[in-house]
Amino acid sequence: MRIRLTIALLAVMATTGLWAQEKKVQDPAESTELNDQAYIRLLRTDLKARKEQIIKEAMQLNDQQSAAFWPIYRNYDAEQTKLGDQKLAIIHYYAQNFLTMSDPKADQLAQMVMALDEQRLALRKKYYDLLKKALPTVIVVRFFQVENQLQLILDLQIASNLPIIEQAE
């Protein structure tokens, strides 16, 4: 229950932070730049520290388990950051082409998103296997359960700030 409350609080704080930084703009290029900056802040500010705190609280690891878990987690997080950079590139592509969206551009966008989803899944599988060698499976599954909830919150934050795709006239 406490973990859910913490995750909900994190979501509210992230949302509030973005709303507080919201700015009305007329120039699409400026809007794109602000969206990129907001996304980067969302992923790379103290949210990482909050995320680590939530994971630490949820995992309830003893000293031996912590010694095995955290180095693997930090490698996982570094690889997740690279995927975050790819997601940023996809969002940038979407923002650049939003007003002139065509079937070929939409297809390219969809292919990019699906490739990123496949990379995310491959990364989870890789680290599931690595963690399972170092920790009991129940603890590994607990981590991925919490990680999945946090990732869904981030994805929702990003998705809620992107307009629905429309066909250019």
Side-chain angles (χ1 to χ4, degrees):
M1 182 69 158
R2 187 172 167 193
I3 295 168
R4 288 183 192 202
L5 179 63
T6 305
I7 290 173
L9 180 61
L10 177 65
V12 169
M13 289 168 51
T15 304
T16 304
L18 286 178
W19 286 338
Q21 296 168 12
E22 189 173 311
K23 174 182 172 183
K24 300 287 183 207
V25 292
Q26 301 298 325
D27 181 16
E30 185 179 353
S31 177
T32 299
E33 183 179 334
L34 288 173
N35 284 341
D36 288 352
Q37 290 170 4
Y39 176 74
I40 291 168
R41 279 193 301 270
L42 179 64
L43 288 180
R44 298 204 171 107
T45 59
D46 61 342
L47 185 60
K48 282 193 182 258
R50 290 182 194 150
K51 180 181 172 185
E52 269 195 36
Q53 184 59 38
I54 290 169
I55 291 170
K56 184 177 181 181
E57 207 173 288
M59 295 301 291
Q60 302 173 9
L61 302 172
N62 63 32
D63 291 342
Q64 182 182 7
Q65 292 167 336
S66 286
F69 174 77
W70 288 107
I72 297 170
Y73 170 79
R74 288 196 174 83
N75 289 336
Y76 172 78
D77 189 53
E79 290 191 49
Q80 279 282 58
T81 299
K82 291 176 187 174
L83 293 181
D85 292 342
Q86 289 181 21
K87 186 161 192 151
L88 180 58
I90 292 169
I91 291 169
H92 188 70
Y93 176 85
Y94 180 72
Q96 285 181 325
N97 293 288
F98 178 74
L99 296 175
T100 59
M101 192 59 65
S102 63
D103 284 345
K105 288 178 185 176
D107 184 55
Q108 184 177 10
L109 181 66
Q111 297 297 329
M112 292 165 67
V113 169
M114 288 185 283
L116 182 61
D117 287 345
E118 289 172 3
Q119 289 175 341
R120 276 173 130 175
L121 180 59
L123 184 66
R124 284 194 305 266
K125 287 179 179 179
K126 172 184 171 182
Y127 279 91
Y128 176 78
D129 290 339
L130 287 172
L131 285 167
K132 208 167 73 164
K133 291 176 184 173
L135 296 164
T137 305
V138 170
I139 291 174
V140 176
V141 171
R142 181 186 311 147
F143 164 68
F144 280 104
Q145 183 179 18
V146 173
E147 174 69 16
N148 186 54
Q149 290 173 348
L150 293 171
Q151 190 62 53
L152 288 171
I153 291 168
L154 286 173
D155 288 345
L156 179 60
Q157 288 297 313
I158 294 164
S160 68
N161 286 298
L162 293 175
I164 300 295
I165 195 168
E166 294 182 23
Q167 188 168 4
E169 295 178 20

